[in-house]
C-alpha cells in the first residue's frame, strides 16, 4: 500500500514535492471512509434484516417481508426512521457524557476493521501485534457502555452498564486465554502470520491441530457471544428485567448506534475466530493470477465469517437468556479453568511436537466431521417433523 | 514520532491529567484518566514500543472499568459534589510531595543525555514481543517472579476476604426463610 502511494507521489500525481505525511493521511482517511461507509455500516444494517428473517424462520414466523424484495430494504427504512426521530436527552442526564457514549461504542466497532485480514493483500495494516489490538479495542468498548449507563441517570441504565462491565471484564479472561494457544503454536501475534501458518485444508486449521485447540475455539466462541452482549448472554439489555438496559434513555440515531455496534461486532468476533482457528482467508491455489487468488481468498474468509455470524443468530433464536449469577459462575467456575487447561495443554503439546502433529490433525478432523454429521442428522429428524413449507420457501 | 504528533499527545495527556485532578465529579475524573492513559499508550506506539502500548490499553482500560465500578458503588456522588472536604494539613503535605516530585523530574531531565537532540537509533527488534519476553524471562526474572508472588498473595487475600463464614449450625431453614432472601452473614 505504502509503496503504491510512493510510486504515485514519484509520478507527480500530487504536484511537485507534496508533503508526504499529508498524502498518506489523505489516503488513510479516504480508505477508511470507503471501508466504513461502504462495508462496515451497510453490513451492520443488512445483518439486522437477515437476523430478523432467520429468527422468524427458526420460530416458524415470516419476519419482515414488506419493504423491498423479501423485505431486504427493511434496514434502510429502519435507519431513515431513526434519523427522523427526536433526539431526547433527559434533564437529569449528564448531557456531555450522554452524547459521547454512543460514539465510544461505535469506535469499538469501527477500529478493528483496520487489522481485518480479508485476503493475503487486502488488509489495511498488518500490525505485528494484531491480536493484541483486537483485545485492546474490546476493553475500550465497555467504557462507552458504562458511560451510557451512568450518564442516563436511570437505575435500569446503570444496572445494565454495570452488568456489561462485569460481563466483559470476566469474559475477557477466557477469551484472551483462548487466543494464546494459537500464539503458542505460531509464535506470532500478527493476523497474517497466524493465517499463513495454516492451510486451506480443514485438517490444517488450528481448530483441529490438537484437542486443546478444539476446546479453546469453542470457549472463544462463547466468550465472544458474551462480550458482544448476544443472547443467551445479553443481560446488559435484558428487556424483561431492565427495559432496554444501558440504552433505556436513548432515542433516535443515538439508540441505533448502539445496535449498529452490536451487529457489526458479530462480524468482528467471527473474523477473530476465523483468523485464529478456521484458516482465515486460506483458499486452494486454483489460479496463478494474484487477482483471482485474492478474490478466492476474500470469498473463503467471508464464507467462514458469515457462517459464524449465522450460528450466532441461530443460538440467539434458540436459547433462552441465562441469569446473571449463572452467567458469572459459568465464566469463573468453568470457562476460566478450562481455558487455563487448554493453554497449558497446548504448551505441552508444542513442547512434545514442536512442528505440530499431522496425524492428530486428521484424527481431530474426522472427529469434527462425525460430530457435524450426527448434528445434521438430528436437525433433519426435526425438520421432517416440522412445517416443511416454511423451510422450503425461503422467500415467503 | 513527528514532533507535532508528540506535542499534540503530550498536551492531551497533560490537560486530561489536570482534568483528573481538578474536576469535581469523580466519574468525569475517571474519564479524564482514560484519556491520559490512552494518550500515553499512543505515545508508546509512536516510539516503536507497540506491544507495551497495546498492553497499556488492555491493562489500564480493564483496570479503569473496575475503578469506574468502585466510584459508582462506593462513593456517594451527590455528597461528593456538594461538599468541599477540608483536610488542610493533608493538602499541604500533598503539595509538598508534588513539589518534591517535580524537583526530582527536573533534576533527572537536567542530567539526561541529549546527544545533540538526536534520538539514539532503535536496535533491531526494539519493542517487539520477542524482545520483551526474552528480557522478562532473563534479565528481569526475579522481579517478574516477585510480581507474580505479589499477585498471588492479592488473589489469596481477596478470596479470604470474600469467603463467607459458614452458616451457624443451629439456624433452621425456617429461620433463614424468615430472614428473607438475604443469607445470614457471619452471625
Amino acid at each position: 500500500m505504502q509503496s503504491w502511494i510512493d510510486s504515485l507521489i514519484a509520478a507527480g500525481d500530487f504536484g511537485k514535492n507534496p508533503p508526504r505525511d499529508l498524502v498518506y493521511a489523505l489516503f488513510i482517511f479516504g480508505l477508511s471512509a470507503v471501508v466504513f461507509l461502504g462495508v462496515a455500516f451497510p453490513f451492520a444494517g443488512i445483518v439486522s434484516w437477515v437476523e430478523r428473517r432467520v429468527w422468524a424462520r427458526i420460530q416458524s414466523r415470516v419476519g419482515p417481508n414488506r419493504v423491498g424484495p423479501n423485505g431486504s430494504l427493511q434496514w434502510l427504512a429502519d435507519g431513515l426512521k431513526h434519523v427522523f426521530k427526536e433526539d431526547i436527552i433527559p434533564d437529569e442526564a449528564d448531557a456531555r457524557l450522554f452524547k459521547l457514549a454512543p460514539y465510544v461504542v461505535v469506535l469499538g466497532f469501527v477500529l478493528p476493521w483496520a487489522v481485518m485480514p480479508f485476503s493475503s493483500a487486502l488488509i489495511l495494516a498488518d500490525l505485528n501485534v494484531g491480536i493484541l489490538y483486537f483485545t485492546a479495542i474490546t476493553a475500550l468498548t465497555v467504557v462507552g457502555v458504562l458511560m451510557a449507563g451512568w450518564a442516563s441517570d436511570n437505575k435500569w441504565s446503570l444496572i445494565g452498564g454495570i452488568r456489561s462491565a462485569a460481563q466483559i471484564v470476566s469474559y475477557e479472561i477466557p477469551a484472551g486465554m483462548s487466543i494464546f494457544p494459537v500464539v503458542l503454536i505460531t509464535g506470532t501475534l500478527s493476523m497474517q502470520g497466524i493465517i499463513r501458518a495454516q492451510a486451506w485444508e480443514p485438517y490444517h486449521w488450528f481448530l483441529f491441530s490438537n484437542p486443546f485447540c478444539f476446546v479453546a475455539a469453542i470457549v472463544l466462541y462463547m466468550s465472544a457471544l458474551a462480550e458482544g452482549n448476544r443472547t443467551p448472554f445479553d443481560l446488559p439489555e435484558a428487556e424483561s428485567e431492565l427495559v432496554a438496559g444501558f440504552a433505556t434513555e436513548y432515542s433516535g440515531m443515538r439508540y441505533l448506534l448502539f445496535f449498529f455496534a452490536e451487529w457489526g461486532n458479530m462480524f468482528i468476533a467471527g473474523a477473530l475466530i476465523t483468523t485464529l482457528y478456521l484458516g482465515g482467508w486460506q483458499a486452494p491455489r486454483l489460479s496463478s493470477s494474484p487477482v483471482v487468488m485474492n478474490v478466492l481468498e476474500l470469498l473463503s474468509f467471508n464464507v467462514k465469517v458469515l457462517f459464524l455470524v449465522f450460528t450466532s443468530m441461530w443460538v440467539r433464536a434458540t436459547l433462552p437468556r441465562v441469569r446473571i449469577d449463572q452467567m458469572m459462575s459459568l465464566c469463573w467456575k468453568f470457562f476460566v479453568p478450562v481455558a487455563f487447561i487448554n493453554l497449558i495443554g497446548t504448551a505441552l503439546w508444542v513442547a512434545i511436537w514442536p512442528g505440530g502433529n499431522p496425524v492428530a490433525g486428521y484424527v481431530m478432523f474426522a472427529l469434527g466431521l462425525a460430530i457435524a454429521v450426527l448434528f445434521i442428522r438430528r436437525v433433519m429428524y426435526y425438520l421432517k417433523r416440522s412445517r416443511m413449507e416454511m423451510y422450503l420457501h425461503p422467500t415467503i | 514520532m513527528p514532533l507535532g504528533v508528540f506535542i499534540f499527545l503530550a498536551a492531551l495527556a497533560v490537560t486530561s491529567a489536570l482534568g483528573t485532578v481538578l474536576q469535581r465529579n469523580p466519574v468525569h475524573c475517571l474519564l479524564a484518566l482514560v484519556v491520559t492513559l490512552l494518550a500515553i499508550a499512543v505515545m508508546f506506539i509512536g516510539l516503536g514500543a507497540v506491544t507495551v502500548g497495546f498492553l497499556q490499553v488492555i491493562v489500564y482500560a480493564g483496570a479503569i472499568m473496575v475503578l469506574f465500578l468502585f466510584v459508582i458503588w462506593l462513593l456517594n456522588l451527590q455528597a461528593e459534589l456538594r461538599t468541599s472536604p477540608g483536610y488542610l494539613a493533608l493538602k499541604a503535605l500533598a503539595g509538598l510531595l508534588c513539589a518534591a516530585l517535580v524537583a526530582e523530574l527536573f533534576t533527572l531531565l537536567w542530567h539526561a543525555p541529549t546527544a545533540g537532540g538526536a534520538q539514539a537509533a532503535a536496535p533491531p527488534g526494539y519493542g517487539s514481543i520477542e524482545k520483551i519476553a526474552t528480557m522478562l524471562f532473563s534479565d528481569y526474572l526475579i522481579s517478574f517472579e516477585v510480581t507474580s508472588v505479589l499477585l498471588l498473595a492479592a488473589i489469596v487475600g481477596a478470596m479470604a476476604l470474600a469467603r463467607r463464614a459458614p452458616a451457624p449450625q443451629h439456624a433452621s431453614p425456617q429461620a433463614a426463610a424468615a430472614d428473607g432472601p438475604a443469607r445470614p452473614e457471619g452471625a
Side-chain angles (χ1 to χ4, degrees), chain A residues 19-183:
Chain A
R20 206 160 270 262
D21 287 335
L22 212 63
V23 177
Y24 288 156
L26 192 75
F27 266 87
I28 289 170
F29 282 127
L31 206 62
S32 333
V34 170
V35 168
F36 300 144
L37 297 178
V39 182
F41 287 112
F43 175 82
I46 290 167
V47 159
S48 76
W49 167 71
V50 172
E51 188 170 55
R52 289 170 67 185
R53 289 288 278 188
V54 169
W55 292 345
R57 278 315 136 109
I58 289 174
Q59 296 161 353
S60 290
R61 297 184 283 115
V62 174
N65 68 344
R66 295 286 143 183
V67 191
N70 286 313
S72 56
L73 297 177
Q74 183 70 42
W75 61 281
L76 270 179
D78 284 347
L80 269 178
K81 184 187 79 173
H82 276 93
V83 169
F84 289 122
K85 284 219 169 174
E86 189 187 352
D87 181 25
I88 300 168
I89 298 172
D91 278 348
E92 292 293 310
D94 189 323
R96 266 191 306 165
L97 295 187
F98 187 85
K99 286 182 199 161
L100 193 63
Y103 301 115
V104 178
V105 173
V106 166
L107 205 63
F109 146 59
V110 158
L111 287 178
W113 294 80
V115 295
M116 197 73 82
F118 286 110
S119 80
S120 54
L122 268 179
I123 179 168
L124 271 180
D126 183 19
L127 292 181
N128 56 5
V129 289
I131 295 288
L132 274 190
Y133 177 85
F134 251 86
T135 330
I137 302 303
T138 328
L140 277 183
T141 315
V142 75
V143 175
V145 173
L146 254 177
M147 258 161 80
W150 182 80
S152 303
D153 200 29
N154 172 318
K155 57 189 167 193
W156 289 299
S157 304
L158 186 60
I159 295 173
I162 288 178
R163 275 183 178 186
S164 172
Q167 184 169 325
I168 293 186
V169 169
S170 311
Y171 276 87
E172 237 174 30
I173 296 168
M177 288 293 148
S178 307
I179 288 170
F180 291 135
V182 170
V183 177

Side-chain angles (χ1 to χ4, degrees), chain B residues 52-70:
Chain B
V52 177
F54 283 119
L55 285 181
Q56 158 110 357
V57 176
I58 294 171
V59 172
Y60 283 102
I64 283 162
M65 278 186 277
V66 178
L67 263 179
F68 214 130
L69 296 181
F70 277 128

Side-chain angles (χ1 to χ4, degrees), chain A residues 284-293 296:
Chain A
R285 283 203 67 81
L286 297 177
S287 155
S288 56
S289 145
V291 177
V292 176
M293 272 319 286
L296 269 181

Side-chain angles (χ1 to χ4, degrees), chain A residues 184-186 197 203-204 206 208-210 346 349-361:
Chain A
L184 276 179
I185 296 173
T186 56
Y203 41 87
H204 287 149
F206 286 139
F208 300 117
S209 74
N210 68 49
T346 312
W349 190 279
V350 171
I352 298 169
W353 294 289
N357 186 340
V359 180

Side-chain angles (χ1 to χ4, degrees), chain B:
Chain B
M1 183 159 52
L3 187 66
V5 178
F6 175 77
I7 290 175
F8 171 71
L9 287 173
L12 189 65
V14 170
T15 321
S16 45
L18 283 176
T20 311
V21 182
L22 297 179
Q23 284 184 106
R24 298 299 303 278
N25 190 328
V27 171
H28 291 174
C29 295
L30 201 58
L31 289 169
L33 183 65
V34 178
V35 177
T36 311
L37 293 171
L38 282 182
I40 292 171
V42 176
M43 252 187 237
F44 274 132
I45 294 165
L47 290 171
V50 181
T51 315
V52 177
F54 283 119
L55 285 181
Q56 158 110 357
V57 176
I58 294 171
V59 172
Y60 283 102
I64 283 162
M65 278 186 277
V66 178
L67 263 179
F68 214 130
L69 296 181
F70 277 128
V71 165
I72 293 168
W73 279 334
L74 301 181
L75 296 182
N76 189 344
L77 286 180
Q78 295 309 317
E80 196 76 16
L81 284 175
R82 266 200 310 273
T83 61
S84 144
Y87 309 129
L88 198 63
L90 266 183
K91 276 182 179 168
L93 185 67
L96 219 66
L97 287 176
C98 268
L101 199 65
V102 170
E104 197 179 357
L105 196 65
F106 271 95
T107 327
L108 278 176
L109 277 180
W110 191 258
H111 293 293
T114 51
Q119 281 183 349
Y126 170 78
S128 75
I129 198 147
E130 292 91 354
K131 204 87 175 172
I132 291 171
T134 318
M135 297 262 275
L136 214 53
F137 288 102
S138 59
D139 296 357
Y140 299 102
L141 183 62
I142 294 180
S143 30
F144 179 78
E145 292 297 336
V146 168
T147 317
S148 329
V149 172
L150 183 72
L151 288 177
L152 186 67
I155 292 171
V156 173
M159 284 188 64
L161 286 176
R163 199 172 138 261
R164 280 191 189 152
Q169 293 295 321
H170 58 267
S172 64
Q174 284 81 20
D179 280 348
R183 281 180 50 185
E185 295 269 356

Side-chain angles (χ1 to χ4, degrees), chain A residues 120-355:
Chain A
S120 54
L122 268 179
I123 179 168
L124 271 180
D126 183 19
L127 292 181
N128 56 5
V129 289
I131 295 288
L132 274 190
Y133 177 85
F134 251 86
T135 330
I137 302 303
T138 328
L140 277 183
T141 315
V142 75
V143 175
V145 173
L146 254 177
M147 258 161 80
W150 182 80
S152 303
D153 200 29
N154 172 318
K155 57 189 167 193
W156 289 299
S157 304
L158 186 60
I159 295 173
I162 288 178
R163 275 183 178 186
S164 172
Q167 184 169 325
I168 293 186
V169 169
S170 311
Y171 276 87
E172 237 174 30
I173 296 168
M177 288 293 148
S178 307
I179 288 170
F180 291 135
V182 170
V183 177
L184 276 179
I185 296 173
T186 56
T188 175
L189 289 170
S190 132
M191 306 290 264
Q192 296 289 56
I194 287 169
I195 293 173
R196 291 214 164 87
Q198 306 175 64
W200 71 269
E201 301 97 333
Y203 41 87
H204 287 149
W205 294 350
F206 286 139
L207 178 65
F208 300 117
S209 74
N210 68 49
F212 301 107
C213 277
F214 191 77
V215 180
I218 294 167
V219 172
L220 180 62
Y221 180 74
M222 295 181 72
S223 306
L225 283 187
E227 285 192 68
N229 290 340
R230 300 281 303 169
T231 321
F233 303 117
D234 66 341
L235 278 313
E237 47 189 276
E239 301 90 349
S240 50
E241 5 183 328
L242 294 179
V243 191
F246 58 84
T248 304
E249 295 287 359
Y250 282 88
S251 56
M253 204 56 199
R254 286 184 213 283
Y255 177 78
L256 198 61
L257 283 181
F258 285 115
F259 290 91
F260 248 28
E262 185 185 320
W263 291 313
N265 277 329
M266 286 161 66
F267 188 89
I268 286 158
L272 182 67
I273 298 166
T274 305
T275 304
L276 289 170
Y277 288 107
L278 300 183
W281 42 253
Q282 292 282 5
R285 283 203 67 81
L286 297 177
S287 155
S288 56
S289 145
V291 177
V292 176
M293 272 319 286
N294 268 304
V295 171
L296 269 181
E297 286 163 359
L298 189 66
L299 272 178
S300 158
F301 181 79
N302 278 302
V303 165
K304 291 168 190 170
V305 175
L306 293 180
F307 175 72
L308 287 176
V309 170
F310 173 74
T311 50
S312 93
M313 292 170 184
W314 190 353
V315 167
R316 183 168 185 175
T318 328
L319 294 183
R321 183 180 293 136
V322 298
R323 245 175 23 224
I324 185 84
D325 60 319
Q326 289 170 337
M327 200 186 91
M328 294 315 265
S329 47
L330 178 70
C331 175
W332 289 104
K333 293 180 182 165
F334 184 70
F335 278 179
V336 170
V338 166
F340 271 101
I341 293 170
N342 287 333
L343 187 61
I344 295 166
T346 312
L348 286 177
W349 190 279
V350 171
I352 298 169
W353 294 289

